[in-house]
Structure formats: structure tokens, C-alpha cells
Amino acid sequence: MTSSYGLSGRAAVVTGATRGIGLAVARALAEAGAKVCVSARDADEVSRTAAELGGIGLAGDVADPGCPEELTELCLRTFGRLDVLVNNAATNQPYGPLMDADPAVWRRAFTVNVEAPLRLVQCAWRGWMREHGGAVVNICTEGATHVGPSVGAYGTSKAALRHLTRQLAGELGPGVRVNSVSPGLVRTEMARFMWEPRETEIAPALPLGRIGEPEDVARAVLWLASDEATWITGADLLVDGGTHVRAARPDVQRPYHFPGA
Ligand SMILES: NC(=O)c1ccc[n+]([C@@H]2O[C@H](COP(=O)([O-])OP(=O)(O)OC[C@H]3O[C@@H](n4cnc5c(N)ncnc54)[C@H](OP(=O)(O)O)[C@@H]3O)[C@@H](O)[C@H]2O)c1
């Protein structure tokens, strides 16, 4: 993906950057000239990704207490700055009704999907952004506005992340912009259980006729992180191929819905 957004001289941290949306985001930022600091739990994948992008990497779980600080410090130590933070890593273990939810699974959803992004923003703010400014992009989900039977903790945690985005945008301006991107169904490992068995049914029911590719989301993240978006903060950008407006299609008998929607 070639880019016209100039990020050269800047440094970015991307969590969950070894595959799927995070990898596409890290690639887009690197192609736009940013130095990238990537992370995920699998150390081999982190090394491979950092090498591919000419950046650096840290293997770790964003939910681990020391990870946010280590990751932001690595970026600051190596590149001397931290201009862009993309909170992309997430967990979405599907399970049944919340009345039966295992408290540990519920806590894990909130630790990975909400608390870790906040801690990363705090570290980036203290280490660089408070003084020099920056841009944060949180990856939420189109599904955060729906209720459904199987992904209640995930959806609730992502709705919290969306609200956290707005709260931080209010607190951290004018120097730091905080926005979110909410993807619809994207062709990644995390969502394989949804798209693989039903893509031929799902795609025609979407106004734009296909499920998303990681690069569709990466382009939106890159734009929000760039100076093209300098008067945008607290916003959520839906990148969903029209998923949220699909019910208006007269040819769709039974509008497609996510298992969790
Ligand atoms: N795909 C979709 O349809 C879709 C739709 C809406 C929103 N989203 C959101 O988009 C984001 C990316 O999802 P994806 O579909 O690209 O997922 P993915 O293909 O499964 O990739 C997830 C990435 O995050 C890393 N990761 C997972 N848990 C982590 C943790 N606790 N700490 C650090 N790294 C972690 C993974 O590597 P390791 O396993 O090695 O840690 C991997 O690099 C998520 O926030 C997700 O909620 C996705």
C-alpha cells in the first residue's frame, strides 16, 4: 500500500502488530515514513515483523503489568520519540450469555481491551506526548453498538474503549488527539470463525459487497494518525463496508448479522 501521508521523522507504537489489522497498520505507518515499534506475545513473530518493517519489537502481553511501560520506553530509547500510539491488540473469546460468564474471562476482556490501552496512553503521555503532542488511535469494533448472544464481554469492553477514547480526547487536547476506528468484519485470524463458513452469504448482504481486508482499516488509521486529521479528536470512524446500514437493502431478505450482533 503506497502512502501520501508523511510521517517521516516520527515514531509509532502498534500493539498486536504481527498479523491481521495490526500488521497492516504497522506496514502503512512504516511506508509513510514512521519508525515503528511493534508488539505481540509470540516472540518469533515479533522479531520477524520488526525485521520486515525495519523497526523494533517487544514480545509481551499488553495485559502484563510491566508491558505498557516497557514498550513505550523501548520506543523512546530507540527512536527518541513516540508520536503515534495504535492500541490494536485485543481478546474476543466468544462465549454464551453473560449470566454464565466466567469472571476471569470477563476480567481478561477488560484488562486487555480497556485497561491496557489506557495504561499505554498514560505511558506515552508521560514519556513524550504531554510535552511534544501526538496521536492515539484505538481499534474498537462496529459491533460495539450492538447487543447479542455470544460476545457480550467483548462488545461491552469495546464500547468502554470507545468511551475511553472520547474521555481521553477531552482530557489530552490540544496537544494529543485521540480517536478510534471501528471495523466491521475483516479477513483476519480473530474473525475467521465468523467469515470463513459464511463469506459467500455475508458479502452480498453488505452495501459495499465484500468483507473487509486489513488494509481497509489500516488506511483509516493512517489518516487519523497523520496531520491530515489535525482537527479531529474524540471521533470514531466506522470502517465496515456499510455493515451498520445494511438493513436498508431491499434485496436482503434476512440482513446479515454478526453472531454477536
Ligand atoms: N477482524 C475483525 O473482523 C475485527 C472486527 C472489529 C474489530 N476488530 C479489532 O481489530 C483488532 C485487531 O484484530 P485482528 O482481527 O487483526 O486480530 P488477529 O488477526 O487475531 O491479530 C491479533 C494481534 O494481536 C496480538 N495479540 C493478541 N492478544 C494480545 C495480547 N494480549 N497482548 C499483545 N498482543 C496480543 C496477536 O499476536 P499474539 O497472538 O502473538 O499475541 C496478533 O498480532 C482488535 O482490536 C479487534 O478487536 C477486528
Side-chain angles (χ1 to χ4, degrees), residues 198 201-202 205 246-247 249-257:
R198 294 179 54 211
E201 179 193 343
I202 291 168
R246 67 194 180 276
R249 289 178 65 90
D251 52 328
V252 177
Q253 298 287 317
R254 184 175 150 271
Y256 149 70
H257 65 278

Side-chain angles (χ1 to χ4, degrees), residues 16 18 21 41-42 61-62 88 90 140-141 154 158 184 186 188:
T18 55
I21 291 168
R41 291 164 299 180
D42 185 313
D61 187 324
V62 287
N88 168 76
C140 294
T141 174
Y154 174 73
K158 288 289 189 175
V186 179
T188 69

Side-chain angles (χ1 to χ4, degrees), residues 15-22 39-43 45-46 60-63 87-92 108 112-113 139-143 154 158 182-191 194-195 258:
T15 66
T18 55
R19 61 173 187 264
I21 291 168
S39 93
R41 291 164 299 180
D42 185 313
E45 289 297 299
V46 169
D61 187 324
V62 287
N87 280 310
N88 168 76
T91 178
N92 83 330
R108 173 86 182 151
V112 175
N113 300 353
I139 308 302
C140 294
T141 174
E142 188 269 341
Y154 174 73
K158 288 289 189 175
S182 285
L185 185 60
V186 179
R187 193 187 310 281
T188 69
E189 279 310 303
M190 180 186 274
M194 287 199 262
W195 56 262
F258 288 99

Side-chain angles (χ1 to χ4, degrees), residues 194-210:
M194 287 199 262
W195 56 262
E196 194 165 60
R198 294 179 54 211
E199 183 175 353
T200 52
E201 179 193 343
I202 291 168
L206 294 174
L208 295 185
R210 64 175 176 83

